[in-house]
Amino acid sequence: MTTYRALTEAEAIAYAKELPNIFAADAQLTSREIGDGNLNLVFHITDEQSGRSLILKQALPYAKVVGESWPLTLDRARIESEALQLQASFCPELVPHVFAYEKDLALTVMEDLSDHVIMRKGLMENNRYPLFAGHIGTFMARTLFYTSDLGMNQQKKKLQVGQFINPELCKITEDLIFDDPYRDSPNNNIEAHLKDAVEAIWKDHDLHLEVAILRNTFLTRAESLLHGDLHTGSIFIKADSTKVIDPEFAYYGPMGFDIGALLANLLLNYAAQEGWSTDEAERADYRKYLLETVKEVWTVFEREFRTLWDNDITDPMSETPAYQDWYMNRVLQETIGYAGCKMVRRIYGLSHVADIDGIEDASAREKAQLLALAVGTSLIKHHRKAASIDELIAIARDAAVSREGVVK
């Protein structure tokens, strides 16, 4: 039995050489540790002669962003590997291929996506991805429908819920998204110029009520297998390809959490355009593109999900007239609420986003932060009233227009 140890680059190379049918026996492999996340080691293994390459991703037994004082389960590596393989059964073209999983080392071997870029980086460079909304909308529709009581046998689904119990990583989500931002927590990371805005959030009991409702849903509704951390940093992309990565936070929860997380990150980049687009007309045009993408993502998701419901429903009672409309409106409302929660936590919680923190001009960064907080809190407060994705778009656009020096 292999004993767990954090691999060195030399050990990663030795492991890769032993993988069947990947590299030639005499291949001269090189390795780079490229992990820039919070939880894992990531080795990029390359054979320069053949051009073949792959990724070895190893979970660490602690949160890399904090250190060994924050221990974490290694079982998240199994969850990630099994989630990727399950997602691949629904949409293989939208996730990386998994070659192998080594339980004792908490190690997943997967397809190298070096010809793609992390979407967050691409958006910070104001790139546009015309196929993205179609790809991600389809990914969410298929993975969420076919792991729900709507799209699979309900008893098999209950067993699958047990397969993806993920309490330690869910605890991170529960604290960092639904608790810490709304009180004076030591996990918060608050810049001085945000103090007044943050303290106003701490005192806003109407806001807290809506967050409590969303938190309760997150805690109690095992609706679909979620990616659990679906944002623009968890997507590799190029003009004709989208690949969703890193589902180690996967668990059974409310559909709107995944959809909202994705939309929130598009809206965070929308807020950040104050720092990335110096020309006013260019800024307005790129913001228009981002809001159009937000709307298209939801539109594709809803259309594809309804089609799957009409064709592949497994629950006879779900064919009741008007039930589908009720269900989709609830998913929309929760999507909007969770989007707001994800925006708020990324401004002064433990882990921020480069879209905003990467803005060098302090004044522009502050405007972006305050805009993101304004949009996020408005989405949270409005979510239970929403009837259309256009209401989310209007909240973002109106907040941008109303803030001095910020254009839509």
Side-chain angles (χ1 to χ4, degrees):
M1 178 177 177
T2 304
T3 302
Y4 177 85
R5 66 190 183 282
L7 297 181
T8 65
E9 289 192 332
E11 289 172 327
I13 289 173
Y15 184 91
K17 281 185 174 181
E18 297 299 317
L19 292 167
N21 306 316
I22 303 291
F23 299 112
D26 60 350
Q28 299 297 307
L29 303 184
T30 61
S31 172
R32 287 187 303 125
E33 204 287 297
I34 59 173
D36 61 355
N38 297 326
L39 305 176
N40 308 288
L41 296 173
V42 182
F43 300 97
H44 182 235
I45 309 294
T46 305
D47 175 10
E48 298 293 347
Q49 185 171 355
S50 69
R52 297 208 69 180
S53 59
L54 51 74
I55 295 294
L56 271 62
K57 180 176 179 180
Q58 184 179 36
L60 291 169
Y62 55 85
K64 189 176 173 185
V65 68
V66 176
E68 295 185 16
S69 63
W70 190 338
L72 285 176
T73 177
L74 293 174
D75 189 52
R76 69 184 193 276
R78 175 196 62 81
I79 287 174
E80 175 174 11
S81 176
E82 292 180 1
L84 282 171
Q85 293 176 75
L86 186 57
Q87 291 162 354
S89 71
F90 307 131
C91 36
E93 72 284 3
L94 297 175
V95 295
H97 177 71
V98 173
F99 294 104
Y101 166 65
E102 181 81 25
K103 177 183 177 181
D104 293 333
L105 289 175
L107 183 70
T108 303
V109 183
M110 67 186 81
E111 175 186 2
D112 176 25
L113 298 173
S114 295
D115 59 334
H116 294 58
V117 300
I118 292 292
M119 188 176 183
R120 189 181 306 286
K121 181 177 184 293
L123 294 180
M124 289 165 62
E125 295 171 352
N126 285 10
N127 293 324
R128 303 185 186 218
Y129 302 101
L131 301 183
F132 168 70
H135 288 166
I136 201 67
T138 298
F139 172 84
M140 293 190 298
R142 295 184 68 83
T143 58
L144 296 175
F145 178 84
Y146 284 122
T147 60
S148 76
D149 291 304
L150 301 170
M152 68 181 297
N153 175 274
Q154 289 82 35
Q155 282 63 52
K156 289 182 179 179
K157 182 228 172 182
K158 291 175 176 66
L159 295 174
Q160 191 160 281
V161 171
Q163 181 183 348
F164 289 97
I165 293 293
N166 199 351
E168 287 188 278
L169 270 66
C170 283
K171 174 64 172 169
I172 293 174
T173 299
E174 292 154 17
D175 289 349
L176 299 190
I177 298 176
F178 301 114
D179 186 356
D180 293 340
Y182 305 98
R183 62 185 180 88
D184 188 5
S185 166
N187 288 329
N188 291 329
N189 181 7
I190 306 168
E191 294 183 67
H193 60 263
L194 295 177
K195 184 178 180 182
D196 289 346
V198 171
E199 289 184 348
I201 288 173
W202 290 345
K203 297 173 183 176
D204 191 337
H205 298 299
D206 291 336
L207 179 69
H208 296 181
L209 170 61
E210 301 304 323
V211 173
I213 291 169
L214 290 161
R215 175 182 165 88
N216 178 69
T217 301
F218 181 89
L219 291 169
T220 60
R221 189 188 303 141
E223 186 169 40
S224 292
L225 180 63
L226 305 185
H227 177 284
D229 195 27
L230 187 57
H231 54 72
T232 52
S234 298
I235 296 169
F236 269 116
I237 198 163
K238 59 180 181 175
D240 61 348
S241 176
T242 303
K243 301 281 189 178
V244 179
I245 64 170
D246 291 351
E248 61 193 312
F249 279 76
Y251 85 109
Y252 261 84
M255 296 181 187
F257 184 79
D258 261 9
I259 310 166
L262 189 280
L263 299 188
N265 278 262
L266 295 173
L267 293 174
L268 285 164
N269 189 269
Y270 174 90
Q273 287 305 308
E274 183 69 19
W276 298 111
S277 300
T278 55
D279 179 87
E280 187 172 310
E282 290 180 0
R283 179 163 63 247
D285 187 58
Y286 198 71
R287 279 188 164 147
K288 181 173 180 284
Y289 158 72
L290 289 168
L291 292 185
E292 288 172 347
T293 301
V294 166
K295 183 171 181 177
E296 188 180 359
V297 167
W298 171 262
T299 301
V300 171
F301 165 77
E302 181 178 19
R303 182 184 68 233
E304 294 299 315
F305 196 94
R306 285 180 181 271
T307 298
L308 295 173
W309 187 314
D310 291 341
N311 295 333
D312 291 343
I313 194 73
T314 61
D315 177 22
M317 283 301 293
S318 295
E319 298 182 81
T320 302
Y323 178 62
Q324 185 183 112
D325 290 340
W326 173 87
Y327 192 104
M328 296 308 297
N329 188 64
R330 176 178 58 75
V331 174
L332 170 69
Q333 291 178 340
E334 291 172 1
T335 291
I336 291 172
Y338 287 124
C341 292
K342 295 287 279 189
M343 292 186 75
V344 169
R345 84 93 162 187
R346 288 292 194 178
I347 301 306
Y348 61 89
L350 179 65
S351 180
H352 298 184
V353 288
D355 311 56
I356 290 179
D357 278 16
I359 298 172
E360 294 184 0
D361 181 85
S363 176
R365 186 172 65 254
E366 179 178 354
K367 289 176 181 177
Q369 290 167 326
L370 292 174
L371 175 57
L373 290 179
V375 174
T377 54
S378 294
L379 293 177
I380 293 168
K381 286 186 171 182
H382 182 73
H383 84 277
R384 286 192 292 151
K385 308 181 191 75
S388 166
I389 194 65
D390 291 327
E391 294 169 50
L392 178 151
I393 303 297
I395 285 171
R397 183 183 292 118
D398 292 348
V401 172
S402 68
R403 303 197 69 84
E404 183 180 356
V406 179
V407 298
K408 63 182 177 180

